[in-house]
Amino acid sequence: MPARTDRAIESAARALHLIGAAAVALLTAVILYDAGGRLLLNRPFPGTTELAANALVLITFLQLPYAIWQRQLLRVTFLVERVPAGLRAALDALAYGVGAGLFAAVATVAWSPLVHSVAAGEFYGTDAFRIPAWPLRAATFGLWLAAALVCARLAWLAGGGRLRPADESAA
C-alpha cells in the first residue's frame, strides 16, 4: 500500500509539474505575440499583463509539489551531512511536518477569500481584459493542499526511517 500511495503522489505531482511547464510555454507564446504585435503591427495582445501576473502565480505553485517530492528544494546540507542518520531522519520529519502545517495553514486562510470570490463574482484586470478571480484562487488553494499532502507524506516516511537521503531520491 505505501508504494502505491507514493506512486500516486509522484504521478499527481509530476502531472502538475508538466502542466506548469506547458503553462510556461503558453505564457512565452503570449508574451512573444504581444511583443511582436506591439512592435510590428502596433497592436499588442490585450490582457498580456493580467495573464502573465496570474500565470506566474500558478506556474510557481504547479511546480512546487513535484519539487518537494523530489526533494530538490534548497537544502542547507553542511549540518545535515554531519549528524547521525537517526537525527537526520528526525530533522527531516520535523522540517516536512512544519512544511505540511505551513501549507495547510495557508490553504485554510485562503478558503474564505475563495468563497467570497465565487459569491461576489470578483475579477482581475480592466474593462479591456477581465479574468475571473475564483479559478486562480481555487487552483492555488488546491495546490497548497497538494503541497501539504506531499510534505505530510515525506514527514511520515522520514519519521519511520523510510526516507532515502535526498541525493539518492533524485536519481
Side-chain angles (χ1 to χ4, degrees), residues 114-167:
L114 169 60
V115 171
H116 171 74
S117 178
V118 171
E122 180 183 13
F123 282 86
Y124 295 124
T126 63
D127 288 337
F129 193 86
R130 294 173 36 150
I131 300 172
W134 73 264
L136 178 65
R137 291 188 186 274
T140 53
F141 174 79
L143 292 167
W144 286 325
L145 288 179
L149 173 70
V150 169
C151 285
R153 179 62 181 163
L154 289 173
W156 176 263
L157 291 171
R162 296 179 303 275
L163 189 62
R164 294 178 300 174
D167 55 349

Side-chain angles (χ1 to χ4, degrees), residues 40-56:
L40 301 174
L41 307 172
N42 200 26
R43 298 195 69 182
F45 182 73
T48 300
T49 304
E50 291 83 1
L51 285 174
N54 289 300
L56 288 176

Side-chain angles (χ1 to χ4, degrees), residues 6-139:
D6 292 347
R7 282 194 303 271
I9 290 172
E10 182 168 4
S11 293
R14 186 184 310 257
L16 292 172
H17 175 72
L18 292 173
I19 292 168
V24 168
L26 183 62
L27 181 60
T28 301
V30 168
I31 291 170
L32 286 173
Y33 177 79
D34 178 67
R38 185 180 310 272
L39 292 173
L40 301 174
L41 307 172
N42 200 26
R43 298 195 69 182
F45 182 73
T48 300
T49 304
E50 291 83 1
L51 285 174
N54 289 300
L56 288 176
V57 172
L58 283 178
I59 289 166
T60 300
F61 290 112
L62 282 166
Q63 305 292 321
L64 189 61
Y66 190 69
I68 295 169
W69 184 254
Q70 291 297 311
R71 302 179 68 204
Q72 295 298 311
L73 294 175
L74 181 64
R75 295 177 58 92
V76 180
T77 59
F78 74 91
L79 174 64
V80 176
E81 291 173 345
R82 290 171 175 73
V83 299
L87 181 56
R88 186 179 312 139
L91 289 172
D92 277 342
L94 175 66
Y96 287 118
V98 168
L102 175 71
F103 286 118
V106 171
T108 301
V109 169
W111 178 252
S112 180
L114 169 60
V115 171
H116 171 74
S117 178
V118 171
E122 180 183 13
F123 282 86
Y124 295 124
T126 63
D127 288 337
F129 193 86
R130 294 173 36 150
I131 300 172
W134 73 264
L136 178 65
R137 291 188 186 274

